[in-house]
Amino acid sequence: MSSEGFLKEIQAIGEKFLLKLQKLPKAEPVEIVSFSVVLLFIATVLVLTIIACSCCCYSCCGCDGRPEPRHRKSQVRPAA
């Protein structure tokens, strides 16, 4: 998919979303609840993605942005 096609697709999705928002005040309660559930799901996925990425970056880079040296793994030996 070319970048122009992708941008047109994103624009079409945005227009549908705005149209849905404009019709929302006149919608039935079931439709309002379902739309809210979908928005809540999207927001949850975005927040969890941001949290996962920030935790990954924190564990790899530390607080100062420099990579931490790999920790040595200690071998566990069975008791005699």
Coordinates of all heavy atoms in Angstrom, one line a residue:
M1 N 0.9 -1.2 0.0 CA 0.0 0.0 0.0 C 0.9 1.2 0.0 O 1.8 1.4 0.8 CB -0.9 0.0 1.2 CG -1.8 1.2 1.3 SD -2.8 1.2 2.8 CE -4.2 0.3 2.2
S2 N 0.6 2.2 -0.9 CA 1.4 3.4 -1.0 C 1.1 4.3 0.2 O 0.0 4.2 0.8 CB 1.2 4.1 -2.3 OG -0.1 4.5 -2.4
S3 N 1.9 5.3 0.3 CA 1.6 6.3 1.4 C 0.4 7.1 1.1 O -0.3 7.5 2.1 CB 2.8 7.2 1.6 OG 3.1 7.9 0.5
E4 N 0.1 7.4 -0.1 CA -1.1 8.1 -0.5 C -2.3 7.3 -0.2 O -3.3 7.8 0.4 CB -1.1 8.5 -2.0 CG -0.1 9.6 -2.3 CD -0.1 10.0 -3.8 OE1 -1.2 9.7 -4.4 OE2 0.9 10.5 -4.3
G5 N -2.3 6.0 -0.5 CA -3.5 5.2 -0.2 C -3.7 5.0 1.3 O -4.8 5.0 1.8
F6 N -2.6 4.9 2.0 CA -2.7 4.8 3.5 C -3.3 6.1 4.1 O -4.2 6.0 4.9 CB -1.3 4.6 4.1 CG -1.3 4.5 5.6 CD1 -1.8 3.3 6.2 CD2 -0.7 5.5 6.3 CE1 -1.8 3.2 7.6 CE2 -0.7 5.4 7.7 CZ -1.3 4.2 8.3
L7 N -2.8 7.3 3.6 CA -3.4 8.5 4.1 C -4.8 8.7 3.8 O -5.6 9.2 4.6 CB -2.6 9.7 3.5 CG -1.1 9.9 4.1 CD1 -0.4 11.0 3.4 CD2 -1.1 10.1 5.6
K8 N -5.2 8.3 2.6 CA -6.7 8.3 2.2 C -7.5 7.4 3.1 O -8.6 7.8 3.5 CB -6.8 8.0 0.7 CG -6.4 9.0 -0.2 CD -6.6 8.6 -1.7 CE -6.1 9.7 -2.6 NZ -6.2 9.3 -4.0
E9 N -6.9 6.3 3.4 CA -7.7 5.3 4.3 C -7.8 5.9 5.7 O -8.9 5.8 6.3 CB -6.9 4.0 4.3 CG -7.7 2.9 5.0 CD -8.9 2.4 4.2 OE1 -8.8 2.5 3.0 OE2 -9.8 1.9 4.9
I10 N -6.8 6.5 6.2 CA -6.8 7.1 7.5 C -7.8 8.3 7.5 O -8.6 8.5 8.5 CB -5.4 7.6 8.0 CG1 -4.5 6.4 8.2 CG2 -5.5 8.5 9.2 CD1 -4.9 5.5 9.3
Q11 N -7.8 9.1 6.4 CA -8.8 10.2 6.3 C -10.2 9.7 6.3 O -11.1 10.2 6.9 CB -8.5 11.0 5.1 CG -9.3 12.2 5.0 CD -9.0 13.1 3.7 OE1 -8.2 12.7 2.9 NE2 -9.6 14.2 3.6
A12 N -10.5 8.6 5.5 CA -11.8 8.0 5.5 C -12.3 7.5 6.8 O -13.4 7.7 7.2 CB -11.8 6.9 4.4
I13 N -11.4 6.9 7.6 CA -11.7 6.4 8.9 C -12.0 7.6 9.8 O -13.0 7.6 10.6 CB -10.6 5.5 9.5 CG1 -10.5 4.2 8.7 CG2 -10.8 5.3 11.0 CD1 -9.3 3.4 9.1
G14 N -11.2 8.7 9.7 CA -11.5 9.9 10.5 C -12.8 10.5 10.2 O -13.5 10.9 11.1
E15 N -13.2 10.5 8.9 CA -14.5 11.1 8.5 C -15.6 10.3 9.1 O -16.6 10.8 9.5 CB -14.5 11.2 7.0 CG -13.6 12.4 6.5 CD -13.6 12.4 4.9 OE1 -14.3 11.5 4.3 OE2 -12.9 13.2 4.4
K16 N -15.5 9.0 9.0 CA -16.5 8.1 9.5 C -16.7 8.3 11.0 O -17.8 8.3 11.6 CB -16.2 6.6 9.2 CG -16.4 6.2 7.8 CD -16.0 4.8 7.6 CE -16.1 4.4 6.1 NZ -15.6 3.0 5.9
F17 N -15.5 8.4 11.7 CA -15.6 8.7 13.2 C -16.3 10.0 13.5 O -17.1 10.0 14.4 CB -14.1 8.6 13.7 CG -14.0 8.8 15.2 CD1 -14.4 7.8 16.0 CD2 -13.6 10.0 15.7 CE1 -14.3 7.9 17.4 CE2 -13.5 10.2 17.1 CZ -13.8 9.1 17.9
L18 N -15.9 11.0 12.8 CA -16.6 12.3 13.0 C -18.1 12.3 12.7 O -18.9 12.9 13.5 CB -15.9 13.4 12.2 CG -14.5 13.9 12.6 CD1 -14.0 14.9 11.7 CD2 -14.6 14.5 14.0
L19 N -18.5 11.6 11.7 CA -19.9 11.4 11.4 C -20.6 10.7 12.5 O -21.7 11.0 12.9 CB -20.0 10.7 10.0 CG -21.5 10.5 9.5 CD1 -22.1 11.9 9.2 CD2 -21.5 9.6 8.3
K20 N -19.9 9.6 13.0 CA -20.5 8.9 14.1 C -20.7 9.8 15.4 O -21.7 9.7 16.1 CB -19.6 7.7 14.4 CG -20.2 6.7 15.3 CD -21.3 5.9 14.6 CE -21.5 4.6 15.3 NZ -22.6 3.9 14.7
L21 N -19.7 10.6 15.6 CA -19.8 11.5 16.8 C -20.9 12.5 16.6 O -21.6 12.9 17.6 CB -18.4 12.2 17.0 CG -17.3 11.4 17.7 CD1 -16.1 12.3 17.7 CD2 -17.7 11.0 19.1
Q22 N -21.1 13.0 15.4 CA -22.2 14.0 15.1 C -23.6 13.3 15.3 O -24.5 14.0 15.8 CB -22.1 14.5 13.7 CG -20.9 15.5 13.6 CD -20.7 15.9 12.1 OE1 -21.3 15.3 11.2 NE2 -19.7 16.8 11.9
K23 N -23.7 12.0 15.0 CA -25.0 11.4 15.2 C -25.2 10.8 16.6 O -26.3 10.4 16.9 CB -25.1 10.2 14.2 CG -25.1 10.6 12.7 CD -25.3 9.3 11.9 CE -25.3 9.7 10.4 NZ -25.4 8.5 9.6
L24 N -24.2 10.9 17.4 CA -24.3 10.3 18.7 C -25.4 10.9 19.6 O -26.1 10.1 20.3 CB -22.9 10.3 19.4 CG -22.7 9.3 20.5 CD1 -22.9 7.9 20.0 CD2 -21.3 9.4 21.1
P25 N -25.6 12.2 19.7 CA -26.6 12.7 20.6 C -28.0 12.2 20.2 O -28.9 12.2 21.1 CB -26.5 14.2 20.4 CG -25.1 14.5 19.9 CD -24.8 13.3 19.1
K26 N -28.3 11.8 19.0 CA -29.6 11.4 18.6 C -29.7 9.8 18.6 O -30.8 9.3 18.4 CB -29.9 11.8 17.2 CG -29.9 13.3 16.9 CD -30.1 13.6 15.5 CE -29.3 14.9 15.1 NZ -29.2 15.1 13.7
A27 N -28.6 9.2 19.0 CA -28.6 7.7 19.0 C -29.3 7.1 20.1 O -29.6 7.8 21.1 CB -27.2 7.2 19.0
E28 N -29.6 5.8 20.0 CA -30.3 5.1 21.1 C -29.3 4.8 22.2 O -28.0 4.7 21.9 CB -30.8 3.8 20.5 CG -32.0 4.0 19.5 CD -32.5 2.7 19.0 OE1 -32.2 1.6 19.6 OE2 -33.1 2.7 17.9
P29 N -29.7 4.5 23.4 CA -28.8 4.2 24.5 C -27.9 3.0 24.2 O -26.7 3.0 24.6 CB -29.7 3.9 25.7 CG -31.0 4.7 25.3 CD -31.1 4.6 23.9
V30 N -28.4 2.0 23.6 CA -27.6 0.8 23.3 C -26.4 1.2 22.4 O -25.3 0.8 22.6 CB -28.4 -0.3 22.6 CG1 -27.5 -1.4 22.2 CG2 -29.5 -0.7 23.6
E31 N -26.7 2.1 21.4 CA -25.6 2.5 20.5 C -24.6 3.4 21.2 O -23.4 3.2 20.9 CB -26.2 3.2 19.3 CG -25.3 3.5 18.1 CD -25.9 4.1 16.9 OE1 -27.2 4.3 16.9 OE2 -25.2 4.4 16.0
I32 N -25.0 4.2 22.1 CA -24.1 5.0 22.8 C -23.2 4.2 23.7 O -22.0 4.4 23.8 CB -24.9 6.1 23.7 CG1 -25.6 7.1 22.8 CG2 -24.0 6.8 24.6 CD1 -26.6 8.0 23.5
V33 N -23.8 3.2 24.4 CA -23.0 2.3 25.2 C -22.0 1.5 24.4 O -20.8 1.4 24.8 CB -23.9 1.4 26.1 CG1 -23.1 0.3 26.8 CG2 -24.7 2.2 27.0
S34 N -22.4 1.0 23.3 CA -21.5 0.2 22.5 C -20.4 1.1 21.9 O -19.2 0.6 21.9 CB -22.2 -0.5 21.3 OG -22.8 0.4 20.5
F35 N -20.7 2.3 21.5 CA -19.6 3.2 21.0 C -18.7 3.5 22.2 O -17.5 3.6 22.0 CB -20.3 4.5 20.5 CG -19.3 5.4 19.8 CD1 -18.8 5.1 18.6 CD2 -19.0 6.6 20.4 CE1 -17.9 5.9 17.9 CE2 -18.1 7.5 19.8 CZ -17.6 7.1 18.5
S36 N -19.2 3.7 23.4 CA -18.3 4.0 24.5 C -17.4 2.8 24.9 O -16.3 3.0 25.2 CB -19.2 4.3 25.7 OG -20.0 5.5 25.5
V37 N -17.9 1.6 24.7 CA -17.1 0.4 25.0 C -16.0 0.3 24.0 O -14.9 0.0 24.4 CB -18.0 -0.8 25.0 CG1 -17.2 -2.1 25.0 CG2 -18.9 -0.8 26.2
V38 N -16.3 0.6 22.7 CA -15.2 0.6 21.7 C -14.2 1.6 22.0 O -13.0 1.3 21.9 CB -15.9 0.7 20.3 CG1 -14.8 1.0 19.3 CG2 -16.7 -0.5 19.9
L39 N -14.6 2.8 22.3 CA -13.6 3.9 22.7 C -12.8 3.5 23.9 O -11.6 3.7 23.9 CB -14.3 5.2 22.9 CG -14.8 5.9 21.7 CD1 -15.5 7.2 22.1 CD2 -13.7 6.2 20.7
L40 N -13.4 2.9 24.9 CA -12.7 2.5 26.1 C -11.7 1.4 25.8 O -10.6 1.4 26.3 CB -13.7 2.0 27.1 CG -13.1 1.6 28.5 CD1 -12.5 2.8 29.2 CD2 -14.2 0.9 29.3
F41 N -12.0 0.5 24.9 CA -11.1 -0.6 24.5 C -9.9 0.0 23.7 O -8.8 -0.4 24.0 CB -11.9 -1.6 23.6 CG -10.9 -2.6 23.0 CD1 -10.5 -3.7 23.8 CD2 -10.5 -2.6 21.7 CE1 -9.7 -4.6 23.2 CE2 -9.7 -3.5 21.1 CZ -9.3 -4.6 21.9
I42 N -10.1 0.9 22.8 CA -9.1 1.6 22.1 C -8.1 2.3 23.0 O -6.9 2.2 22.9 CB -9.6 2.5 21.0 CG1 -10.3 1.6 19.9 CG2 -8.5 3.3 20.4 CD1 -11.1 2.4 18.9
A43 N -8.7 3.1 23.9 CA -7.9 3.8 24.9 C -7.1 2.9 25.8 O -5.9 3.2 26.1 CB -8.8 4.7 25.8
T44 N -7.7 1.8 26.2 CA -7.0 0.8 27.1 C -5.8 0.2 26.3 O -4.7 0.1 26.9 CB -7.9 -0.3 27.5 OG1 -9.0 0.3 28.2 CG2 -7.2 -1.3 28.4
V45 N -6.0 -0.2 25.1 CA -4.9 -0.7 24.3 C -3.8 0.3 24.1 O -2.6 -0.1 24.3 CB -5.4 -1.2 22.9 CG1 -4.3 -1.6 22.0 CG2 -6.3 -2.4 23.1
L46 N -4.1 1.5 23.9 CA -3.1 2.5 23.7 C -2.3 2.8 25.0 O -1.1 2.9 25.0 CB -3.7 3.9 23.2 CG -4.2 3.9 21.8 CD1 -4.9 5.2 21.5 CD2 -3.0 3.7 20.8
V47 N -3.0 2.9 26.1 CA -2.3 3.1 27.4 C -1.5 1.9 27.8 O -0.3 2.1 28.2 CB -3.4 3.3 28.5 CG1 -2.8 3.2 29.9 CG2 -4.0 4.7 28.3
L48 N -1.9 0.7 27.6 CA -1.1 -0.5 27.9 C 0.1 -0.6 26.9 O 1.2 -1.0 27.4 CB -2.0 -1.8 27.7 CG -3.0 -2.0 28.8 CD1 -3.8 -3.2 28.6 CD2 -2.3 -2.0 30.2
T49 N 0.0 -0.2 25.7 CA 1.1 -0.2 24.8 C 2.2 0.8 25.2 O 3.4 0.5 25.2 CB 0.6 0.2 23.4 OG1 -0.3 -0.8 22.9 CG2 1.8 0.2 22.4
I50 N 1.7 2.0 25.7 CA 2.6 3.0 26.1 C 3.4 2.5 27.4 O 4.6 2.7 27.6 CB 1.9 4.3 26.4 CG1 1.5 5.0 25.0 CG2 2.8 5.3 27.2 CD1 0.5 6.1 25.2
I51 N 2.6 1.9 28.3 CA 3.2 1.4 29.5 C 4.2 0.3 29.2 O 5.3 0.3 29.8 CB 2.1 0.9 30.5 CG1 1.3 2.0 31.0 CG2 2.8 0.1 31.6 CD1 0.1 1.6 31.8
A52 N 3.9 -0.6 28.3 CA 4.8 -1.7 27.9 C 6.1 -1.1 27.3 O 7.2 -1.6 27.6 CB 4.1 -2.7 27.0
C53 N 5.9 -0.2 26.4 CA 7.1 0.4 25.8 C 8.0 1.2 26.8 O 9.2 1.1 26.7 CB 6.7 1.3 24.6 SG 6.0 0.4 23.2
S54 N 7.4 1.9 27.7 CA 8.1 2.6 28.6 C 8.9 1.7 29.6 O 10.0 1.9 30.0 CB 7.3 3.6 29.4 OG 6.3 3.0 30.2
C55 N 8.2 0.6 30.0 CA 8.9 -0.4 30.9 C 10.0 -1.1 30.2 O 11.1 -1.3 30.7 CB 7.9 -1.4 31.4 SG 6.7 -0.8 32.5
C56 N 9.9 -1.4 28.9 CA 10.9 -2.0 28.1 C 12.1 -1.1 28.0 O 13.2 -1.4 28.1 CB 10.4 -2.4 26.7 SG 11.6 -3.2 25.7
C57 N 11.8 0.2 27.6 CA 12.9 1.2 27.5 C 13.6 1.4 28.8 O 14.8 1.6 28.9 CB 12.4 2.5 27.0 SG 11.9 2.4 25.2
Y58 N 12.9 1.4 29.9 CA 13.5 1.6 31.2 C 14.4 0.5 31.6 O 15.5 0.7 32.1 CB 12.4 1.8 32.3 CG 12.9 2.0 33.7 CD1 13.5 3.2 34.0 CD2 13.0 1.0 34.6 CE1 14.0 3.4 35.3 CE2 13.5 1.2 35.8 CZ 14.0 2.4 36.2 OH 14.5 2.6 37.4
S59 N 14.0 -0.8 31.3 CA 14.8 -1.9 31.7 C 16.0 -2.0 30.8 O 17.1 -2.5 31.2 CB 14.0 -3.2 31.7 OG 13.6 -3.5 30.3
C60 N 15.9 -1.6 29.5 CA 17.1 -1.7 28.6 C 18.0 -0.5 28.8 O 19.3 -0.7 28.8 CB 16.6 -1.6 27.2 SG 15.7 -3.1 26.7
C61 N 17.5 0.7 29.0 CA 18.4 1.9 29.0 C 18.6 2.5 30.4 O 19.5 3.3 30.5 CB 17.8 2.9 28.1 SG 17.5 2.4 26.4
G62 N 17.9 2.1 31.4 CA 18.0 2.7 32.7 C 17.5 4.1 32.7 O 16.8 4.6 31.7
C63 N 17.7 4.9 33.7 CA 17.1 6.2 33.8 C 17.9 7.3 33.0 O 17.3 8.2 32.5 CB 17.2 6.7 35.3 SG 16.1 5.7 36.3
D64 N 19.2 7.1 32.8 CA 20.0 8.1 32.1 C 20.0 7.9 30.6 O 20.7 8.7 29.9 CB 21.4 8.2 32.7 CG 22.1 6.9 32.7 OD1 21.5 5.9 32.2 OD2 23.2 6.8 33.1
G65 N 19.4 6.9 30.1 CA 19.3 6.8 28.6 C 20.5 5.9 28.1 O 20.5 5.6 26.9
R66 N 21.4 5.5 28.9 CA 22.5 4.7 28.4 C 22.2 3.2 28.7 O 21.6 2.9 29.7 CB 23.8 5.1 29.2 CG 24.3 6.4 28.8 CD 25.6 6.8 29.5 NE 25.3 6.9 30.9 CZ 26.2 6.9 31.8 NH1 27.5 6.8 31.6 NH2 25.9 7.0 33.1
P67 N 22.6 2.4 27.8 CA 22.3 0.9 28.0 C 23.1 0.4 29.3 O 24.2 0.8 29.5 CB 22.9 0.2 26.8 CG 23.1 1.3 25.8 CD 23.2 2.6 26.5
E68 N 22.4 -0.4 30.0 CA 23.0 -1.0 31.2 C 23.8 -2.2 30.8 O 23.4 -2.9 29.8 CB 22.0 -1.4 32.2 CG 21.2 -0.3 32.9 CD 20.2 -0.8 33.9 OE1 20.1 -2.0 34.1 OE2 19.5 0.0 34.4
P69 N 24.9 -2.5 31.4 CA 25.7 -3.7 31.1 C 24.8 -4.9 31.4 O 24.0 -4.9 32.4 CB 26.9 -3.6 31.9 CG 26.6 -2.7 33.0 CD 25.6 -1.7 32.5
R70 N 25.0 -6.0 30.7 CA 24.2 -7.2 31.0 C 24.7 -7.8 32.3 O 25.9 -7.8 32.6 CB 24.5 -8.3 29.9 CG 24.0 -7.8 28.5 CD 22.8 -8.5 28.2 NE 22.3 -8.0 26.9 CZ 21.1 -8.1 26.6 NH1 20.2 -8.5 27.4 NH2 20.7 -7.7 25.4
H71 N 23.7 -8.2 33.1 CA 24.0 -8.8 34.3 C 24.6 -10.3 34.1 O 24.1 -11.0 33.2 CB 22.8 -8.9 35.2 CG 22.2 -7.5 35.5 ND1 22.8 -6.7 36.4 CD2 21.1 -6.9 35.0 CE1 22.1 -5.5 36.4 NE2 21.1 -5.7 35.6
R72 N 25.6 -10.6 34.9 CA 26.1 -12.0 34.8 C 25.1 -13.0 35.4 O 24.6 -12.7 36.4 CB 27.4 -12.1 35.5 CG 28.6 -11.5 34.7 CD 29.9 -11.7 35.4 NE 30.2 -13.1 35.5 CZ 31.3 -13.6 36.0 NH1 32.1 -12.8 36.5 NH2 31.5 -14.9 36.0
K73 N 24.9 -14.0 34.7 CA 24.0 -15.1 35.2 C 24.9 -16.0 36.1 O 25.9 -16.5 35.7 CB 23.4 -15.9 34.1 CG 22.4 -15.0 33.3 CD 21.8 -15.8 32.2 CE 20.9 -15.0 31.4 NZ 20.3 -15.7 30.3
S74 N 24.4 -16.3 37.3 CA 25.1 -17.2 38.2 C 24.5 -18.6 38.0 O 23.3 -18.7 37.8 CB 24.9 -16.8 39.6 OG 23.6 -16.7 40.0
Q75 N 25.4 -19.5 37.9 CA 24.9 -20.9 37.7 C 24.5 -21.5 39.0 O 25.1 -21.3 40.1 CB 26.0 -21.8 37.1 CG 26.2 -21.5 35.7 CD 27.2 -22.5 35.1 OE1 28.1 -22.9 35.8 NE2 27.1 -22.8 33.8
V76 N 23.4 -22.2 39.0 CA 22.9 -22.9 40.2 C 23.4 -24.3 40.2 O 23.2 -25.1 39.2 CB 21.4 -22.9 40.3 CG1 20.9 -23.6 41.5 CG2 20.9 -21.4 40.3
R77 N 24.1 -24.7 41.2 CA 24.7 -26.1 41.2 C 23.9 -26.9 42.3 O 23.5 -26.4 43.3 CB 26.2 -26.0 41.6 CG 26.9 -25.3 40.6 CD 28.4 -25.3 40.9 NE 29.1 -24.5 39.9 CZ 30.3 -24.2 39.9 NH1 31.1 -24.7 40.9 NH2 30.9 -23.5 39.0
P78 N 23.7 -28.1 42.0 CA 22.9 -29.0 42.9 C 23.7 -29.2 44.2 O 25.0 -29.2 44.2 CB 22.7 -30.3 42.2 CG 23.8 -30.3 41.1 CD 24.1 -28.9 40.8
A79 N 23.0 -29.3 45.3 CA 23.6 -29.6 46.6 C 24.2 -31.0 46.7 O 23.6 -31.9 46.1 CB 22.7 -29.3 47.7
A80 N 25.3 -31.1 47.3 CA 26.0 -32.4 47.3 C 25.4 -33.4 48.3 O 24.7 -33.1 49.3 CB 27.5 -32.3 47.7

